């Protein structure tokens, strides 16, 4: 028997080892802590499919009020999402999609547009005769990887002089692509652009090119555009990346959406967060904007801590009062 007014949100996170997902979790936690009656439980599947299925099963067995899921891959997570729906639990899918449209709502940036944005950056900055691109893809079977490829090709295919000379299959982490990219560059160093499906793999590709003394010959584009010392925005400022395509985590929005669904507010099925290209033209502006948001977050956190301390003090004094009155 849990408290009647409690809102129990279960979030099944694909993994939490990278800064993007850590930032997503942080903004969810901060947003949730603004509502005293929300209990947010985050489970980290550590990129293990069976673990993610099991964790969702536990959320179903616990009858959480709403489930938020960022699926590792689309197909294997689809049945358990269906199971939650069948059990009457609304499901908000974030960032990566399941296989069909069977969820209460989806929230995330349009990954086809992310791919198109990356391609447009290349087209805009290269008037050169031939442009040879290596595309480094995210994990097979995860929707952002599939959709980024689709969008990228939609634009690139319109230009006869621009071609994708190699596609390297990665798994979102740089270790998955470095040997393959090295092997490719060793037989063909004539590459103008590398488009990697995230900034971590773009950085990994840049490291390999630098090792071979080729990093100045080619330009690198990533995705995510996180703020902070290791993030994509800083890599644009440092000249490692020509550009990164912003992929917002949507952490705050996810909590707001979850509440909207629970309050029976009209919620659209597919909710698209905006994306944009961050390059040397706007990297400073973006950095300043995100810094300001972070300052505000820190201020909110400080205020929340103060409120909690006040509340504890109040209860302590109240207890003291009760004891005194009972004497
Ligand atoms: C984080 C991440 C991001 C990428 C997203 C795609 O785990 O790999 O870098 O944009 O997942 O779902």
């Amino acid at each position: 028997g849990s408290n009647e007014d409690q809102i129990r949100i279960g979030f099944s996170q694909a993994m939490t080892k990278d800064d993007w997902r850590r930032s997503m979790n942080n903004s969810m936690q901060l947003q949730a802590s603004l509502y005293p009656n929300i209990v947010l439980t985050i489970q980290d599947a550590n990129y293990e499919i069976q673990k993610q299925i099991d964790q969702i099963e536990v959320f179903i067995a616990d009858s959480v009020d709403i489930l938020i899921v960022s699926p590792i891959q689309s197909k294997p997570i689809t049945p358990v999402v269906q199971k939650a729906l069948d059990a009457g639990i609304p499901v908000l899918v974030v960032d990566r999609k399941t296989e069909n449209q069977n969820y209460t709502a989806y929230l995330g940036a349009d990954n086809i547009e992310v791919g198109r944005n990356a391609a447009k950056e290349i087209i805009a900055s290269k008037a050169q005769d031939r442009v040879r691109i290596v595309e480094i893809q995210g994990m097979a079977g995860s929707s952002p990887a599939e959709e980024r490829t689709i969008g990228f090709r939609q634009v690139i295919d319109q230009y006869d002089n621009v071609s994708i000379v190699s596609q390297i299959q990665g798994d979102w982490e740089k270790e998955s692509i470095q040997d393959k990219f090295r092997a490719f560059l060793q037989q063909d160093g004539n590459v103008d652009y590398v488009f990697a499906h995230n900034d971590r793999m773009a950085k990994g590709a840049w490291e390999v090119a630098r090792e071979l003394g080729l990093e100045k010959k080619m330009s690198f584009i990533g995705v995510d555009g996180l703020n902070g010392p290791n993030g994509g925005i800083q890599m644009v400022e440092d000249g490692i990346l020509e550009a990164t395509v912003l992929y917002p985590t949507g952490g705050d929005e996810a909590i707001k959406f979850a509440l909207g669904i629970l309050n029976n507010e009209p919620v659209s099925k597919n909710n698209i967060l905006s994306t944009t290209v961050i390059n040397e033209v706007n990297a400073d502006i973006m950095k300043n904007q995100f810094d300001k948001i972070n300052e505000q977050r820190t201020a909110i956190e400080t205020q929340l801590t103060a409120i909690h301390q006040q509340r504890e003090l109040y209860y302590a004094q109240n207890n003291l009062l009760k004891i005194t009155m009972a004497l």
Side-chain angles (χ1 to χ4, degrees):
S2 61
N3 186 331
E4 280 286 308
D5 331 309
Q6 259 186 12
I7 297 174
R8 293 184 308 131
I9 303 179
F11 175 36
S12 167
Q13 172 63 289
M15 65 104 128
T16 48
K17 283 200 192 73
D18 65 78
D19 288 345
W20 191 86
R21 282 180 200 278
R22 266 198 285 264
S23 146
M24 183 181 201
N25 288 2
N26 287 342
S27 46
M28 276 197 189
Q29 268 151 347
L30 179 57
Q31 187 64 34
S33 62
L34 298 176
Y35 306 85
N37 57 334
I38 292 187
V39 180
L40 170 66
T41 308
I42 300 181
Q43 290 291 358
D44 173 4
N46 195 35
Y47 264 179
E48 295 161 44
I49 298 283
Q50 191 52 50
K51 193 166 184 175
Q52 182 157 39
I53 294 171
D54 293 345
Q55 288 173 339
I56 295 174
E57 297 269 10
V58 172
F59 281 137
I60 297 173
D62 282 353
S63 307
V64 290
D65 294 305
I66 186 161
L67 186 66
I68 305 177
V69 184
S70 182
I72 301 169
Q73 284 172 314
S74 306
K75 198 174 179 174
I77 303 304
T78 301
V80 73
V81 163
Q82 184 63 52
K83 187 171 173 184
L85 292 169
D86 292 345
I89 300 173
V91 182
L92 173 63
V93 174
V94 293
D95 154 48
R96 301 186 188 171
K97 295 175 181 164
T98 48
E99 233 192 2
N100 47 32
Q101 294 260 327
N102 285 347
Y103 40 72
T104 311
Y106 168 79
L107 173 73
D110 178 345
N111 279 299
I112 294 185
E113 197 189 339
V114 167
R116 283 194 205 123
N117 277 344
K120 284 181 193 157
E121 167 72 24
I122 295 177
I123 303 300
S125 80
K126 283 275 154 160
Q128 158 188 336
D129 303 338
R130 286 204 58 73
V131 182
R132 304 179 84 247
I133 305 169
V134 172
E135 182 188 8
I136 297 180
Q137 298 171 305
M139 182 190 288
S142 74
S143 64
E146 286 162 4
E147 293 174 353
R148 287 171 195 179
T149 290
I150 292 171
F152 191 64
R153 295 207 164 239
Q154 280 177 357
V155 175
I156 296 299
D157 287 351
Q158 294 170 26
Y159 297 85
D160 289 338
N161 59 320
V162 183
S163 52
I164 300 167
V165 294
S166 173
Q167 271 184 323
I168 295 176
Q169 182 68 64
D171 72 358
W172 299 116
E173 304 312 319
K174 72 175 184 182
E175 292 76 15
S176 65
I177 61 98
Q178 286 189 308
D179 289 345
K180 293 179 200 166
F181 187 52
R182 186 179 301 104
F184 181 82
L185 284 185
Q186 276 163 348
Q187 41 129 336
D188 180 359
N190 183 19
V191 171
D192 303 296
Y193 266 96
V194 175
F195 167 46
H197 285 188
N198 69 11
D199 291 337
R200 300 195 298 285
M201 294 190 295
K203 174 78 185 298
W206 177 85
E207 286 169 0
V208 167
R210 191 183 51 171
E211 212 181 277
L212 302 174
L214 293 171
E215 86 279 14
K216 296 216 166 59
K217 283 187 62 183
M218 51 193 86
S219 304
F220 298 82
I221 298 178
V223 176
D224 283 345
L226 276 182
N227 192 28
N230 305 312
I233 297 182
Q234 189 58 48
M235 288 199 272
V236 171
E237 303 240 66
D238 294 343
I240 293 175
L241 300 184
E242 172 178 312
T244 175
V245 184
L246 179 69
Y247 188 58
T249 69
D252 314 5
E253 291 86 349
I255 297 297
K256 290 182 196 156
F257 257 89
L259 286 179
I261 293 170
L262 290 172
N263 292 332
N264 289 318
E265 284 163 20
V267 172
S268 8
K269 182 124 189 179
N270 290 303
N271 304 279
I272 304 308
L273 300 167
S274 55
T275 164
T276 187
V277 172
I278 303 174
N279 56 23
E280 61 174 2
V281 177
N282 61 351
D284 268 337
I285 298 174
M286 297 300 280
K287 187 177 178 315
N288 286 336
Q289 290 300 317
F290 285 120
D291 282 347
K292 272 191 198 133
I293 294 174
N294 280 340
E295 278 166 29
Q296 283 162 358
R297 287 194 174 173
T298 311
I300 293 172
E301 273 163 1
T302 312
Q303 282 162 5
L304 282 174
T305 312
I307 291 171
H308 289 144
Q309 281 166 354
Q310 284 297 321
R311 199 182 285 153
E312 269 161 38
L313 193 64
Y314 168 80
Y315 286 128
Q317 285 174 342
N318 213 27
N319 273 339
L320 197 62
L321 188 65
K322 279 186 201 146
I323 293 167
T324 319
M325 281 169 47
L327 286 177

